[in-house]
Amino acid sequence: MIKVLSNGVQMPLLGLGTFLVQDGSSAYETVKYALEVGYRHIDTAQMYKNEASVGQAIKDAKIPRSEIFITTKQAGHSTIEKMRAQFEESLEKLGTDYVDLYLIHWPNHDKKINQQTWALFEELYEAGKCKAIGVSNFQRHHLLDLYETAKIKPMVNQVELHPGLSQEPLKAFLDQEGIAIESYGPFMKGGIFEGIWGEGLSEIASKYHASIAQVVISWGLQRDVIMIPKSVTKERIEENFNAQYVNLSDEDMKKINELNRGKRVYTDPDNSPWGPYKG
Ligand SMILES: NC(=O)c1ccc[n+]([C@@H]2O[C@H](COP(=O)([O-])OP(=O)(O)OC[C@H]3O[C@@H](n4cnc5c(N)ncnc54)[C@H](OP(=O)(O)O)[C@@H]3O)[C@@H](O)[C@H]2O)c1
């Protein structure tokens, strides 16, 4: 399943997340196994500190580079020189001369800083070093502020999204803007297996002889949301990949949509470690 981004780049709708996958043998074996299973999209970040092992696993898989979609994320806002050097370091660690998608990991509380970082992203994109550029954890107002100086619209916005936080208003806005929405934290830090979510989802899962995790991934894919579940467990890596073969009925999609409670289990982008957004 492919998502065609606004600039025509093709992004596999299902990928592997690697947050908290330790650099070294864990990240290496996880990515290597995922590629064997059939994943062709890997999500990493400078902050995850595992780009070198991710890159080595990709290299050793001997799959043509053009068939693998690699996303990485800018560690944090800084001077242009420092951020440019960090990008080059990512390329080196990943063992590639371009990334498929480069994301601003978090909005800064100061819109001018976001605008300045974005100008560098545009430069890297125009130089062909990123096939697509985007943002992460941006709310509608962060995007509107970015537009004030942007020459290029972000192609992707990666945000917390799961049955407890379906992000319908943000998704409607992004759809209108031609920005693809990508989910992180699809399992709600374990919340999808408990309480109202566990109850509702297990009932649906049993109908399809699927797992709760598969139902959640499939729900995202059927909403045209890019999904990047993380697992270091072989059985789960495979189980999550096979979620693309679970076809939920409209009625069950609706039932899952009704589990939305606007519940965040990750940091609120309006009140991030950089403080409340000032604009
Ligand atoms: N942009 C951002 O700010 C941001 C923030 C957070 C995450 N992300 C990205 O999004 C990806 C996904 O989010 P996440 O890693 O936070 O959380 P997640 O994918 O929702 O959940 C990962 C957890 O679920 C477990 N798990 C995986 N498959 C399972 C299955 N089939 N059944 C039961 N449990 C399962 C994993 O255990 P095992 O690994 O032990 O199998 C792990 O503990 C990240 O890896 C990262 O790439 C981005």
Side-chain angles (χ1 to χ4, degrees):
M1 296 166 100
I2 294 288
K3 174 76 188 168
V4 180
L5 303 181
S6 58
N7 64 344
V9 163
Q10 299 195 356
M11 179 170 182
L13 204 54
L14 178 60
L16 177 81
T18 66
F19 178 44
L20 298 179
V21 182
Q22 271 211 323
D23 199 29
S25 62
S26 179
Y28 179 81
E29 294 300 335
T30 298
V31 172
K32 200 159 163 275
Y33 186 69
L35 293 170
E36 276 167 38
V37 165
Y39 288 79
R40 289 295 178 269
H41 164 189
I42 312 291
D43 182 272
T44 182
Q46 287 162 2
M47 274 200 261
Y48 304 168
K49 301 195 182 309
N50 59 17
E51 288 171 311
S53 308
V54 168
Q56 192 62 45
I58 290 173
K59 185 172 172 223
D60 292 351
K62 304 213 183 312
I63 296 166
R65 171 69 185 87
S66 60
E67 290 176 21
I68 302 182
F69 192 100
I70 307 174
T71 300
T72 195
K73 313 182 194 85
Q74 168 62 41
H77 305 270
S78 183
T79 61
I80 295 295
E81 293 69 32
K82 189 165 174 212
M83 290 192 292
R84 197 179 278 124
Q86 283 171 327
F87 176 74
E88 291 300 329
E89 200 182 318
S90 281
L91 289 186
E92 200 182 315
K93 285 185 173 163
L94 288 164
T96 181
D97 51 10
Y98 69 92
V99 291
D100 296 278
L101 176 63
Y102 198 40
L103 301 177
I104 296 185
H105 208 144
W106 281 90
N108 193 278
H109 64 266
D110 179 343
K111 73 173 179 184
K112 289 211 171 57
I113 293 181
N114 295 325
Q115 291 170 350
Q116 180 186 302
T117 302
W118 189 248
L120 172 66
F121 273 53
E122 291 175 330
E123 180 199 304
L124 296 170
Y125 175 71
E126 277 164 358
K129 294 183 168 195
C130 319
K131 300 288 178 203
I133 48 176
V135 294
S136 177
N137 295 298
F138 272 52
Q139 309 270 52
R140 179 192 165 107
H141 53 266
H142 295 115
L143 282 162
L144 292 177
D145 286 346
L146 199 72
Y147 286 178
E148 287 174 7
T149 56
K151 287 186 289 174
I152 302 169
K153 259 191 200 178
M155 288 130 203
V156 175
N157 187 11
Q158 184 183 112
V159 295
E160 179 180 346
L161 188 157
H162 43 65
L165 180 68
S166 61
Q167 297 273 25
E168 272 179 38
L170 181 63
K171 184 176 185 300
F173 173 68
L174 296 176
D175 284 350
Q176 173 201 305
E177 296 296 306
I179 301 173
I181 187 165
E182 178 169 18
S183 147
Y184 75 69
F187 304 144
M188 234 178 132
K189 293 194 171 166
I192 58 159
F193 304 106
E194 299 163 359
I196 58 155
W197 296 287
E199 252 173 58
L201 293 166
S202 66
E203 205 175 290
I204 295 171
S206 61
K207 267 204 247 174
Y208 296 87
H209 306 290
S211 68
I212 288 181
Q214 286 179 320
V215 165
V216 168
I217 296 165
S218 173
W219 164 76
L221 299 177
Q222 285 183 229
R223 289 176 77 209
D224 203 27
V225 174
I226 301 155
M227 302 297 286
I228 46 165
K230 169 263 177 186
S231 178
V232 294
T233 315
K234 282 190 169 179
E235 296 73 25
R236 289 172 171 175
I237 292 173
E238 215 172 324
E239 174 186 325
N240 296 345
F241 188 71
N242 289 333
Q244 60 191 311
Y245 308 115
V246 176
N247 283 309
L248 302 170
S249 67
D250 291 349
E251 193 193 342
D252 288 325
M253 287 292 291
K254 190 165 168 276
K255 278 189 192 157
I256 304 171
N257 292 338
E258 285 165 1
L259 295 174
N260 178 45
R261 295 293 180 277
K263 187 175 168 58
R264 260 181 210 288
V265 294
Y266 294 78
T267 303
D268 181 349
D270 279 325
N271 201 2
S272 68
W274 297 279
Y277 187 63
K278 293 186 305 202

